[in-house]
Amino acid sequence: MARYIPGATSVEIPLRDTDEVIELDIDQLPEGEEVIGILKDERAPLHTWVTLALHYYKQNKYEDFAKLLKASRTDADIDYPDHEKDQMAALDILAAYHVEKARLEKNKDAKKEQFSQATLLYTT
């Protein structure tokens, strides 16, 4: 079961209908779109999406981080016990990201949009 572990060197994506995994090296993560494709194809559990998103964030790859979390809302597998906790974590993490973007934003309209996105996620 993949969970975010600071200092981890790899993340395993379970292959659908097998006991095998794809192992991604944290220091050499592919482009976000490629990872999203793999996660979708393998119907990876939500916690794997969140774990990978956090690793992208730690590497300052904020666009890939946000893309993974946004895609996970509709494409991640949530057919496992306690998936609700992972759903709440994904929503909260993405909302906090939008709050931080709003805090740094100078443009009033863009700032308002970021806060609106955060509010929507916090109230989902």
Side-chain angles (χ1 to χ4, degrees):
M1 178 181 301
R3 298 285 182 203
Y4 181 76
I5 301 170
T9 59
S10 66
V11 174
E12 294 181 346
I13 300 173
L15 296 178
R16 186 177 11 176
D17 301 327
T18 72
D19 291 333
E20 296 180 34
V21 297
I22 296 172
E23 189 170 343
L24 296 180
D25 183 339
I26 297 304
D27 293 330
Q28 297 178 359
L29 288 173
E31 293 293 321
E33 292 294 333
E34 183 180 345
V35 172
I36 289 170
I38 294 168
L39 293 168
K40 281 182 182 181
D41 289 347
E42 300 305 331
R43 298 226 1 101
L46 177 58
H47 57 79
T48 303
W49 291 72
V50 173
T51 297
L52 282 163
L54 290 171
H55 283 293
Y56 278 105
Y57 186 88
K58 289 287 287 182
Q59 294 179 16
N60 300 324
K61 296 178 180 178
Y62 304 123
E63 189 173 315
D64 289 332
F65 157 82
K67 282 181 186 178
L68 253 75
L69 288 179
K70 288 176 184 176
S72 75
R73 295 182 66 196
T74 55
D75 297 323
D77 179 22
I78 55 170
D79 188 22
Y80 60 92
D82 294 330
H83 72 272
E84 296 89 355
K85 291 178 185 177
D86 293 328
Q87 283 179 308
M88 290 304 299
L91 291 171
D92 285 350
I93 292 165
L94 188 55
Y97 170 71
H98 284 291
V99 168
E100 181 63 12
K101 282 186 72 173
R103 188 183 70 76
L104 298 171
E105 183 59 58
K106 303 293 184 218
N107 179 285
K108 186 178 177 180
D109 291 334
K111 181 182 285 273
K112 184 178 178 180
E113 176 59 28
Q114 291 299 323
F115 277 131
S116 294
Q117 293 216 14
T119 300
L120 180 65
L121 291 163
Y122 278 133
T123 57
T124 298

